[in-house]
Amino acid sequence: MTIAASVVFCLLFAQSMATLRFDTSTTGLLVHDDPQLTMYNDFLDRYGRDEMIIVTLQADDIFAPEPIEKIKRLQKRIENETPYLARIESVVTARETRGEADTLIVGELFDDDPQTPEEYAAIKARALKNGFYINRLISEDATVAAIVIRTLSRVGVTDAASDLDGFSQEAIETRPLSDMQNSAVVNTIKAIADDEQSYGMPITVLGTPVISDRLKRQMEADIGFFIKALVAAIAVMLFAFFRRVSGTIYPIIVVMLSLAATVGLMVLADVPLKLPTQVMPTLLLAIGVGACVHLEAMFYRAFDECGNRKTAIIKASRDCFFPILMTALTTIVGIGSFVTAKIDPFVDLGLFAPFGVLIQTILTFTLLPALLAITPIKMRARKQSHSFDRVLLFFADFSASYPKSIAAFFAVLLIASITLLTQARLSHYMLGWLPEKSDIRQATRLFDEKMRGTVTIEALIDFGEADALYDPKNMRSLDEAISKAEKVNLVGKALGAPTIIKEINRALNDNDDAFYSVPNLRGAIAEEMLLFSSSGSDDLNEVANYDYSQTRVTHKTPFLDAIEGDKILDELTAIYEEAFPNAKVEVTGLMSLICRILRVAVESMALSYAIAIVTITAMMYFAFGNAKLGFFSMIPNLTPIMIGMAYMVLVGVPFDMFVMLVGSIVLGLIVDDTIHFLHNFNRYYKESGDPRVALRQTMLGVGRAMAITTVVLTVGFSVYLFAFMQNIVNFGMIAGVCIVLACFADFFLTPALLILWIRSKKCAF
């Protein structure tokens, strides 16, 4: 009955797993009410999506007939075959503003279809003189051309579901472009690019939507690999430890059912799996096996002594209930501390992983005993001495003999680690998550080098009054501010309303470059803007709102680390606030979100760490009834985390949002072994009154289980070393190092501190 009820309960949640969604977008990393995200969404609603998909074509001379024909064919196919398009630009359709006999003509650079080399050369000369094209649609040396594609920021949703083909029927509402729809766009464009590849004119597809799609596809593949690899590794380790089929299979059944229920709950709550939460499945597998190992170790030990399954189950459950319950609660607190975070996937991890741990704990005391109760098990004679038992006894004797030396050794390591941690380097660099030789990473770097930017920063200036852009003073101040912005380090091109006004003014003055400036009269600006709008071009809508009370300036930057991007944001904000002290200035765009993510991640993790440490310390006090002991018990748990983080600095791993997860997660895990150790030591010390004897009995009682859980957790995190993304590799490496260090701390530092504690108190606890 227990077995059936447990399986049915988990499967009720698990049945929806097939519809699990993935989200690798930058916007998906911030909580929905984040002020910077709200500002960004308002910007998208007004001006459309700022993220670009860029198709690049390289040639000796972009303006030769063959490359131009290739660009035309590519653009036409993308326009006809790609869903969710909002805007597409290339050098062949680039805006060209010119004047002819007092008439303003707003056309395209290739309106006059060139036929001769001289005509191509003439167009090339005009293009290279036009700053609007350079480092935007063509490189300065005319060897790289870009087709810049922007998708819809919101798409229609029919009464059934959003259409994946992008050519939908009439919609009843709109929603932001989903990760799946973004993938549909990227895959279509990549298929076209692959089909149009030709020798001597390589075509690449890049941009943040392409990076997001690559991360999503790799995340889907990695998660499947991680789960399979970890289950296989767990099976091998459990069989090596127990030498029993039941000891191998049953823990895997428990953890897989709890994992399925947890993922199913995420689907029911309509919560997608995001980049940080991809660690949850393997994390839950590793955590759940630990509890099962402790109970099974106690069960098989008792069964080999008494030969009665029921008696052994009762004894094992009684002896393990309190420490397993406490370890579950500390793990829930450690990971649950993320619910206070301002990073959305951290919140998801803090909500759903504790649910998984809770289900695992319930199944450990219900399903696992029920399975053991119905399984025929043979008694085994216990060896009087086992090689690993001798190792454990050595640990106990060594710690009891040299407690001060051990404590001093760890104290020196801790001080050195704290010193190293002052040199930790913060980072949030999505491009750096991809392997160094990744085609997207290399293509992005080349484009950033040639065209000076794949990411945008948007400055919004709201004057608070209609027709403010007609004011020559405002337009000139804006033009001067843009010139200053382009001089900021790493800022490429900056485009705004003055760019268009100066083009119009030059065109209406016989195309004379001397008139490439902002007119001095309000009426002249108003007339030029009216003429431009009447020409059929909607480009003014890209840089200003409907009543010209607000304007937008777009700045291109390379794909930067948030630390570098933050400096640029501060400089740009200062430039526009100085230029317009009476206007409302907001700086937004994708780069602003990237920088915001790093800031709030640091703030969130500081709070989460504090909550986890204080709460777990309080729980340790509750567990052992002594406030000082509760504080004392945290020393062997915090010390390995500090040393592990210092190792991170030593090997040059940046402190990014994934590494930030390590502290609270690992603290919730490693305190488990400390609880088992202290609980058993307390019991044996009360029985014998001799701390050395108590240590030896504790090591023999729980030492093997502690070792196997450490191995399981280490292997669990080590599977991330095979990840495609470098940030996941770093996460697995640092977490694994902390777990191993924690095991050494529990085998040496915890016993040493216990001896010193008892010597100073001369009493049990």
Side-chain angles (χ1 to χ4, degrees), residues 651-679:
V651 297
V653 173
F655 200 71
D656 63 16
M657 63 187 298
F658 287 82
V659 174
M660 290 177 197
L661 289 170
V662 170
S664 289
I665 289 177
V666 170
L667 179 61
L669 296 177
I670 62 178
V671 77
D672 299 2
D673 283 344
T674 305
I675 290 174
H676 282 282
F677 194 96
L678 293 177
H679 175 77

Short mmCIF file of all heavy atoms in Angstrom, two decimals, residues 651-679:
data_model
loop_
_atom_site.label_atom_id
_atom_site.label_comp_id
_atom_site.label_asym_id
_atom_site.label_seq_id
_atom_site.Cartn_x
_atom_site.Cartn_y
_atom_site.Cartn_z
N VAL A 651 42.85 29.85 -8.84
CA VAL A 651 42.91 29.30 -10.20
C VAL A 651 42.30 30.25 -11.22
O VAL A 651 42.19 29.90 -12.41
CB VAL A 651 42.22 27.92 -10.27
CG1 VAL A 651 42.93 26.92 -9.37
CG2 VAL A 651 40.74 28.02 -9.90
N GLY A 652 41.90 31.45 -10.79
CA GLY A 652 41.43 32.46 -11.73
C GLY A 652 39.99 32.34 -12.16
O GLY A 652 39.60 32.89 -13.20
N VAL A 653 39.16 31.64 -11.39
CA VAL A 653 37.74 31.52 -11.73
C VAL A 653 37.01 32.77 -11.25
O VAL A 653 37.12 33.14 -10.08
CB VAL A 653 37.11 30.27 -11.07
CG1 VAL A 653 35.61 30.24 -11.29
CG2 VAL A 653 37.76 29.02 -11.63
N PRO A 654 36.25 33.45 -12.12
CA PRO A 654 35.54 34.65 -11.70
C PRO A 654 34.36 34.33 -10.79
O PRO A 654 33.77 33.25 -10.86
CB PRO A 654 35.06 35.27 -13.02
CG PRO A 654 34.95 34.10 -13.95
CD PRO A 654 36.04 33.16 -13.55
N PHE A 655 34.00 35.27 -9.96
CA PHE A 655 32.89 35.10 -9.01
C PHE A 655 31.62 35.54 -9.71
O PHE A 655 31.16 36.67 -9.58
CB PHE A 655 33.16 35.96 -7.77
CG PHE A 655 32.39 35.53 -6.56
CD1 PHE A 655 32.70 34.36 -5.90
CD2 PHE A 655 31.35 36.30 -6.06
CE1 PHE A 655 32.00 33.97 -4.77
CE2 PHE A 655 30.64 35.92 -4.95
CZ PHE A 655 30.97 34.75 -4.30
N ASP A 656 31.00 34.61 -10.48
CA ASP A 656 29.79 34.95 -11.22
C ASP A 656 28.56 34.39 -10.50
O ASP A 656 28.66 33.82 -9.41
CB ASP A 656 29.87 34.45 -12.66
CG ASP A 656 29.96 32.94 -12.77
OD1 ASP A 656 29.67 32.23 -11.77
OD2 ASP A 656 30.32 32.44 -13.86
N MET A 657 27.39 34.54 -11.14
CA MET A 657 26.15 34.17 -10.46
C MET A 657 26.06 32.67 -10.20
O MET A 657 25.34 32.25 -9.29
CB MET A 657 24.94 34.64 -11.28
CG MET A 657 24.80 34.01 -12.64
SD MET A 657 23.47 34.76 -13.61
CE MET A 657 22.07 34.38 -12.59
N PHE A 658 26.79 31.86 -10.95
CA PHE A 658 26.76 30.42 -10.72
C PHE A 658 27.64 30.03 -9.55
O PHE A 658 27.26 29.22 -8.71
CB PHE A 658 27.18 29.67 -11.99
CG PHE A 658 26.14 29.70 -13.07
CD1 PHE A 658 26.01 30.80 -13.91
CD2 PHE A 658 25.26 28.66 -13.22
CE1 PHE A 658 25.04 30.84 -14.88
CE2 PHE A 658 24.28 28.69 -14.20
CZ PHE A 658 24.17 29.78 -15.03
N VAL A 659 28.82 30.63 -9.47
CA VAL A 659 29.70 30.36 -8.33
C VAL A 659 29.07 30.89 -7.05
O VAL A 659 29.24 30.31 -5.98
CB VAL A 659 31.09 31.00 -8.57
CG1 VAL A 659 31.97 30.86 -7.34
CG2 VAL A 659 31.77 30.34 -9.76
N MET A 660 28.29 31.99 -7.18
CA MET A 660 27.62 32.53 -6.00
C MET A 660 26.64 31.54 -5.37
O MET A 660 26.35 31.60 -4.18
CB MET A 660 26.86 33.81 -6.37
CG MET A 660 27.74 34.99 -6.69
SD MET A 660 26.74 36.42 -7.19
CE MET A 660 27.98 37.45 -7.98
N LEU A 661 26.12 30.63 -6.20
CA LEU A 661 25.19 29.62 -5.68
C LEU A 661 25.87 28.62 -4.76
O LEU A 661 25.22 28.00 -3.92
CB LEU A 661 24.55 28.86 -6.85
CG LEU A 661 23.53 29.58 -7.73
CD1 LEU A 661 23.21 28.73 -8.94
CD2 LEU A 661 22.26 29.87 -6.95
N VAL A 662 27.17 28.45 -4.94
CA VAL A 662 27.88 27.36 -4.27
C VAL A 662 27.75 27.44 -2.75
O VAL A 662 27.45 26.44 -2.09
CB VAL A 662 29.36 27.34 -4.69
CG1 VAL A 662 30.16 26.38 -3.81
CG2 VAL A 662 29.50 26.95 -6.15
N GLY A 663 27.97 28.63 -2.18
CA GLY A 663 28.03 28.76 -0.73
C GLY A 663 26.81 28.22 -0.01
O GLY A 663 26.91 27.34 0.85
N SER A 664 25.63 28.75 -0.36
CA SER A 664 24.40 28.33 0.33
C SER A 664 24.05 26.88 0.04
O SER A 664 23.60 26.15 0.93
CB SER A 664 23.23 29.24 -0.08
OG SER A 664 23.37 30.52 0.48
N ILE A 665 24.25 26.45 -1.21
CA ILE A 665 23.94 25.06 -1.56
C ILE A 665 24.85 24.10 -0.79
O ILE A 665 24.38 23.15 -0.15
CB ILE A 665 24.08 24.84 -3.08
CG1 ILE A 665 22.94 25.54 -3.83
CG2 ILE A 665 24.08 23.35 -3.40
CD1 ILE A 665 23.03 25.45 -5.33
N VAL A 666 26.15 24.36 -0.85
CA VAL A 666 27.10 23.46 -0.20
C VAL A 666 26.92 23.48 1.31
O VAL A 666 27.01 22.44 1.98
CB VAL A 666 28.54 23.83 -0.60
CG1 VAL A 666 29.55 23.07 0.25
CG2 VAL A 666 28.77 23.51 -2.07
N LEU A 667 26.66 24.65 1.89
CA LEU A 667 26.44 24.73 3.34
C LEU A 667 25.28 23.84 3.75
O LEU A 667 25.35 23.12 4.75
CB LEU A 667 26.18 26.18 3.75
CG LEU A 667 25.91 26.40 5.25
CD1 LEU A 667 27.12 25.96 6.07
CD2 LEU A 667 25.59 27.87 5.53
N GLY A 668 24.19 23.90 2.99
CA GLY A 668 23.04 23.06 3.30
C GLY A 668 23.34 21.58 3.17
O GLY A 668 22.69 20.75 3.82
N LEU A 669 24.35 21.22 2.34
CA LEU A 669 24.69 19.81 2.13
C LEU A 669 25.70 19.30 3.16
O LEU A 669 25.50 18.23 3.75
CB LEU A 669 25.27 19.62 0.72
CG LEU A 669 24.33 19.92 -0.46
CD1 LEU A 669 25.09 19.75 -1.77
CD2 LEU A 669 23.13 19.01 -0.43
N ILE A 670 26.76 20.07 3.36
CA ILE A 670 27.85 19.54 4.20
C ILE A 670 27.49 19.54 5.68
O ILE A 670 28.07 18.76 6.45
CB ILE A 670 29.16 20.32 3.97
CG1 ILE A 670 29.00 21.79 4.37
CG2 ILE A 670 29.60 20.21 2.52
CD1 ILE A 670 30.28 22.60 4.20
N VAL A 671 26.56 20.37 6.08
CA VAL A 671 26.15 20.35 7.48
C VAL A 671 25.46 19.03 7.83
O VAL A 671 25.39 18.64 9.01
CB VAL A 671 25.23 21.56 7.79
CG1 VAL A 671 23.82 21.32 7.26
CG2 VAL A 671 25.20 21.87 9.27
N ASP A 672 25.00 18.32 6.80
CA ASP A 672 24.34 17.03 7.02
C ASP A 672 25.27 16.06 7.73
O ASP A 672 24.90 15.42 8.73
CB ASP A 672 23.88 16.42 5.70
CG ASP A 672 22.87 17.29 4.97
OD1 ASP A 672 22.57 18.38 5.49
OD2 ASP A 672 22.40 16.89 3.90
N ASP A 673 26.49 15.89 7.20
CA ASP A 673 27.43 14.96 7.81
C ASP A 673 27.83 15.40 9.21
O ASP A 673 28.05 14.57 10.10
CB ASP A 673 28.68 14.83 6.93
CG ASP A 673 28.44 13.94 5.72
OD1 ASP A 673 27.44 13.20 5.72
OD2 ASP A 673 29.24 14.00 4.77
N THR A 674 27.92 16.72 9.42
CA THR A 674 28.26 17.23 10.75
C THR A 674 27.18 16.85 11.75
O THR A 674 27.47 16.47 12.89
CB THR A 674 28.44 18.76 10.70
OG1 THR A 674 29.41 19.09 9.72
CG2 THR A 674 28.89 19.29 12.05
N ILE A 675 25.92 16.96 11.33
CA ILE A 675 24.81 16.59 12.22
C ILE A 675 24.88 15.10 12.56
O ILE A 675 24.74 14.71 13.73
CB ILE A 675 23.46 16.94 11.58
CG1 ILE A 675 23.28 18.46 11.52
CG2 ILE A 675 22.30 16.30 12.35
CD1 ILE A 675 22.05 18.90 10.77
N HIS A 676 25.06 14.25 11.55
CA HIS A 676 25.18 12.81 11.80
C HIS A 676 26.34 12.52 12.75
O HIS A 676 26.22 11.70 13.68
CB HIS A 676 25.39 12.05 10.49
CG HIS A 676 24.14 11.86 9.70
ND1 HIS A 676 23.20 10.90 10.00
CD2 HIS A 676 23.65 12.53 8.61
CE1 HIS A 676 22.20 10.97 9.14
NE2 HIS A 676 22.45 11.94 8.28
N PHE A 677 27.47 13.21 12.53
CA PHE A 677 28.66 12.97 13.36
C PHE A 677 28.40 13.40 14.80
O PHE A 677 28.66 12.64 15.75
CB PHE A 677 29.85 13.74 12.77
CG PHE A 677 31.17 13.32 13.34
CD1 PHE A 677 31.95 12.39 12.68
CD2 PHE A 677 31.64 13.85 14.54
CE1 PHE A 677 33.18 11.98 13.20
CE2 PHE A 677 32.86 13.45 15.06
CZ PHE A 677 33.63 12.51 14.40
N LEU A 678 27.91 14.62 15.00
CA LEU A 678 27.69 15.13 16.35
C LEU A 678 26.60 14.34 17.08
O LEU A 678 26.71 14.09 18.29
CB LEU A 678 27.31 16.61 16.29
CG LEU A 678 28.41 17.58 15.82
CD1 LEU A 678 27.87 19.01 15.75
CD2 LEU A 678 29.63 17.52 16.72
N HIS A 679 25.55 13.97 16.36
CA HIS A 679 24.46 13.21 16.97
C HIS A 679 24.98 11.87 17.51
O HIS A 679 24.68 11.50 18.66
CB HIS A 679 23.35 12.98 15.95
CG HIS A 679 22.24 12.11 16.45
ND1 HIS A 679 21.26 12.56 17.31
CD2 HIS A 679 21.96 10.79 16.21
CE1 HIS A 679 20.42 11.57 17.58
NE2 HIS A 679 20.82 10.49 16.92
#
